[in-house]
Amino acid sequence: MMDITKLTAYETVKRIKSGEIGVKETLLSYLKKIEEREDLIKTFILIDRDRAIKKAEELDQLEHKEGLLFGLPVAIKDNINVYGYEATAGSKILKGYVSLYDASVVESIKRENGIILGKTNCDEFAMGSSTENSAFFPTRNPVNLEYVPGGSSGGSAACVAAEEVAIAIGSDTGGSIREPAAFCGVVGLKPTYGRVSRYGLIAFASSLDVIGPLSKDVRDAALMLNVIAGFDAHDETTVDIKVDDYLDILEGNIKGKKIGVIKEVMDFEVQKELKDALESSIQKLKGEGCEILEISIPYLKYALPSYYIIAPSEASSNLARFDGVRYGYESDGAYLREFYENTRTEGFGDEVKRRILIGTFALSEGYFEDYYLKASKVRRIIEMDFENAFEQVDALILPTTATTAFKLNEKKSPLEMYMTDIFTIPVNLAGLPAISVPAGTDKAGLPVGVQLVGKWFEEALLLRIAHHIEE
Amino acid sequence: MSKFDIEKVERLAGLKLKDDERERIKRDIDEIINYFDILKEVDTDGIDPLVYTKWTRLTLRNDEVHTGLTLEEIKKNRKLFGNNFFRVRRIIGE
């Protein structure tokens, strides 16, 4: 008998629509997988079997099977609001907070008849690269349980890799979709800043946060982007420019396209198998008739310190709203000030407190110019570096990470953890679209990812190139 | 001496760490802030700071009435709710 959970999201919808498989049948296959594997991997913070089954039964009754995601089980990262479900963003301070509305991406998924199966684990407020910063429990890498799944969208990456769901939604502020996708061996797409609405995403760093899919293959990423892309009046940073049919353009050839290899990447220590994977992807592109050029991003190494000033600065402002008065965790205190401090100190975990403190410091009188302002100027220079690069090439290729997944509790200091994001962060600073595609495994059997970066709002070409290099 | 006065920054951030926690977190932050020093190598004279990419435009919404959350909905997330208001701790007399 066919194992439905092996199918891609695209194939699943196609077979449901043709009547070959049922919606409830599909859902039950995934629920069975969840039952078998979830205790070990722990990807979900919340699973709502009953509501999902009820929805599946309703869809099975319909005569016209309409919607791009008809009957497809989808998982949502827990920092995104789904009406009626708790949204904790992996934090104790939001424990008990129930969403009063759907995020725009969730609304779009429901409109296309996708089924929300549950909420996935993540680093607290999406701050982390391993999902170990979740206030509730760490998620494990389904490929090898001793290893982290990456983060912060670790739950979303792991549940797709473990075939517990057909496709998942994550968020990416400095690599939080691409890094876990690479570590778990799935596809992770970070769209252009402004391509997908963040309305209903619990904000971390508003000038960097983007929502995107984690999927089994590039076609599935294109399918989900078709559903979630576009202008939204609820998010004024979304840009009102044409949305392509990303599925339609996938197959076309990429002959004559210019692909840039970033020279400065090799200044960093990169694990051998990742260099090899990059090289074989480059060979594939050459085989497809692409022209490979060496490109310089001179200020690449300054992206990381710039990001770790800007992101915490924005976070310190965004997270000021969590004061225990209107929702979530509340502590004690005779006076208001004491109550605020107790609630926040008990409600936030270590990494979140570190970032709030760094951000508050970087914005404070006497330090603003040397830190926040300086970092924002460096950000401009990095954006200009990319602009220059894209005058010469159509896309860039580089490793998603410098190493494959690491073991739980392996990273000793926060700074060491930050270094994990060296190749993903520059892309967020410039607001560009990028995708991580699986490219084999290392000698320990851990997945390797290759990253492609496209021009602003040119996800169509980015996905097409990615489709050509995926295995 | 470190320029990072953690107790001052805690007050600004609405946090109050326990002593052992403060020591641990300060050590980490000192290391991180020292790392930021490499930005000094970059000449940023005459460069405008970048906050949003060039695609982002601040637009005005049409002046239309929309329904927001109802009082009943808002109350769902807080047990202690006064007569149409959030209840907070004492402010005067601190």
Side-chain angles (χ1 to χ4, degrees):
Chain A
M1 207 188 88
M2 174 179 62
D3 181 354
I4 294 174
T5 63
K6 299 273 179 217
L7 297 174
T8 63
Y10 180 82
E11 271 295 318
T12 305
V13 174
K14 209 167 123 186
R15 291 187 194 211
I16 290 174
K17 284 187 171 175
S18 75
E20 195 183 327
I21 53 178
V23 177
K24 191 176 173 186
E25 182 190 2
T26 302
L27 180 68
L28 292 178
S29 307
Y30 279 110
L31 287 173
K32 187 165 167 281
K33 264 282 171 62
I34 288 172
E35 220 156 273
E36 288 164 14
R37 299 188 172 178
E38 184 56 14
D39 280 353
L40 293 170
I41 307 170
K42 298 179 90 64
T43 66
F44 284 96
I45 290 181
L46 178 150
I47 299 172
D48 192 342
R49 289 179 178 76
D50 295 345
R51 207 161 116 180
I53 288 172
K54 191 167 162 277
K55 180 74 190 168
E57 286 170 347
E58 278 170 30
L59 292 177
D60 270 332
Q61 296 303 316
L62 292 177
E63 202 180 319
H64 300 288
K65 295 172 182 162
E66 281 164 3
L68 290 170
L69 305 176
F70 189 88
L72 193 72
V74 182
I76 308 287
K77 187 176 179 179
D78 201 38
N79 61 349
I80 297 171
N81 283 287
V82 177
Y83 178 77
Y85 290 161
E86 217 177 34
T88 68
S91 181
K92 182 179 164 189
I93 208 162
L94 275 172
K95 193 74 195 127
Y97 162 69
V98 177
S99 303
L100 300 172
Y101 66 101
D102 278 329
S104 291
V105 293
V106 172
E107 205 180 286
S108 301
I109 289 165
K110 287 181 174 174
R111 193 188 312 121
E112 297 296 338
N113 280 325
I115 299 176
I116 308 297
L117 184 50
K119 305 290 296 288
T120 57
N121 197 22
C122 56
D123 286 300
E124 186 176 358
F125 287 106
M127 296 177 191
S129 310
S130 68
T131 314
E132 291 167 295
N133 291 339
S134 164
F136 307 115
F137 46 80
T139 294
R140 288 165 186 276
N141 192 319
V143 178
N144 184 329
L145 298 176
E146 285 177 37
Y147 290 79
V148 301
S152 67
S153 311
S156 290
C159 70
V160 173
E163 295 164 347
E164 293 184 353
V165 74
I167 194 165
I169 295 291
S171 67
D172 191 316
T173 306
S176 282
I177 288 175
R178 290 159 289 155
E179 186 246 17
F183 279 8
C184 292
V186 300
V187 170
L189 171 68
K190 173 223 174 284
T192 311
Y193 184 85
R195 176 87 291 181
V196 174
S197 170
R198 293 98 42 87
Y199 178 67
L201 169 71
I202 296 168
F204 157 17
S206 305
S207 80
L208 301 156
D209 296 339
V210 174
I211 291 177
L214 294 102
S215 59
K216 291 175 178 173
D217 67 4
V218 174
R219 188 183 301 278
D220 283 1
L223 170 69
M224 187 52 87
L225 191 60
N226 271 356
V227 173
I228 63 176
F231 175 75
D232 177 17
H234 287 301
D235 177 358
E236 306 229 324
T237 61
T238 52
V239 179
D240 194 6
I241 61 174
K242 186 174 163 279
V243 178
D244 294 291
D245 181 339
Y246 300 105
L247 280 173
D248 201 38
I249 48 76
L250 218 50
E251 297 294 346
N253 77 67
I254 52 172
K255 207 170 164 194
K257 296 294 174 202
K258 293 185 175 130
I259 313 289
V261 179
I262 303 172
K263 181 170 92 186
E264 287 78 11
V265 163
M266 290 308 152
D267 295 344
F268 295 91
E269 211 174 293
V270 179
Q271 192 180 322
K272 185 178 175 303
E273 290 107 324
L274 278 81
K275 286 186 195 168
D276 294 347
L278 180 68
E279 186 49 42
S280 66
S281 297
I282 292 170
Q283 290 310 321
K284 265 189 203 170
L285 291 171
K286 275 188 186 163
E288 299 282 345
C290 291
E291 191 185 333
I292 308 295
L293 281 91
E294 190 181 75
I295 287 292
S296 178
I297 303 285
Y299 289 88
L300 190 73
K301 74 165 175 176
Y302 299 103
L304 195 81
S306 168
Y307 172 90
Y308 275 103
I309 292 172
I310 292 167
S313 295
E314 294 185 19
S316 72
S317 168
N318 274 327
L319 272 59
R321 74 191 63 172
F322 302 108
D323 57 12
V325 173
R326 290 153 301 159
Y327 42 72
Y329 177 76
E330 53 181 328
S331 182
D332 280 324
Y335 292 95
L336 188 60
R337 172 95 201 165
E338 196 186 345
F339 169 78
Y340 283 160
E341 288 175 349
N342 290 343
T343 297
R344 289 165 62 78
T345 306
E346 292 161 24
F348 291 132
D350 272 9
E351 180 58 23
V352 174
K353 281 187 271 202
R354 267 194 296 270
R355 295 207 197 183
I356 289 174
L357 291 167
I358 291 169
T360 305
F361 168 75
L363 294 172
S364 67
E365 194 186 351
Y367 298 104
F368 175 84
E369 283 80 9
D370 286 347
Y371 290 92
Y372 178 75
L373 198 62
K374 180 79 182 178
S376 301
K377 288 178 177 177
V378 172
R379 183 178 181 184
R380 168 83 60 196
I381 294 175
I382 291 162
E383 192 215 31
M384 283 163 19
D385 272 0
F386 278 108
E387 252 180 64
N388 291 335
F390 282 116
E391 276 169 21
Q392 303 161 65
V393 296
D394 300 297
L396 297 165
I397 188 165
L398 71 164
T400 310
T401 53
T403 67
T404 50
F406 44 90
K407 286 187 173 164
L408 271 89
N409 305 315
E410 186 183 317
K411 297 277 179 200
K412 298 292 175 252
S413 77
L415 192 58
E416 200 185 332
M417 187 70 90
Y418 295 174
M419 298 295 175
T420 313
D421 307 325
I422 45 170
F423 297 144
T424 49
I425 274 174
V427 175
N428 295 76
L429 288 177
L432 292 159
I435 189 166
S436 178
V437 181
T441 54
D442 69 4
K443 58 180 184 295
L446 297 163
V448 167
V450 166
Q451 182 179 205
L452 288 160
V453 184
K455 290 183 184 174
W456 289 274
F457 295 98
E458 294 196 9
E459 281 85 356
L461 180 61
L462 179 72
L463 288 162
R464 185 190 287 184
I465 298 169
H467 182 55
H468 280 275
I469 64 164
E470 76 179 326
E471 306 203 309
Chain B
M1 213 190 83
S2 158
K3 55 188 144 194
F4 182 68
D5 178 350
I6 189 161
E7 287 180 59
K8 181 186 164 201
V9 179
E10 279 175 48
R11 274 195 305 281
L12 294 172
L15 294 167
K16 197 173 181 62
L17 305 181
K18 290 185 193 73
D19 289 344
D20 59 326
E21 194 183 14
R22 176 176 298 130
E23 208 172 297
R24 193 177 68 237
I25 286 183
K26 182 171 168 25
R27 214 173 25 241
D28 291 334
I29 293 180
D30 279 337
E31 189 194 4
I32 294 162
I33 289 176
N34 283 336
Y35 167 68
F36 292 156
D37 280 346
I38 72 161
L39 288 180
K40 287 181 186 155
E41 296 169 10
V42 185
D43 179 5
T44 51
D45 278 358
I47 301 287
D48 281 336
L50 186 151
V51 178
Y52 285 102
T53 58
K54 61 181 173 188
W55 303 90
T56 312
R57 304 261 181 283
L58 282 179
T59 53
L60 292 173
R61 259 196 299 253
N62 294 333
D63 192 13
E64 290 164 356
V65 178
H66 292 278
T67 48
L69 297 171
T70 64
L71 191 64
E72 284 312 307
E73 286 172 318
I74 291 166
K75 279 165 113 170
K76 281 183 187 167
N77 274 306
R78 199 32 95 228
K79 281 186 221 88
L80 245 179
F81 205 83
N83 186 22
N84 295 358
F85 52 79
F86 288 106
R87 289 177 64 155
V88 295
R89 304 301 195 274
R90 285 177 68 173
I91 297 168
I92 300 165
E94 194 173 357

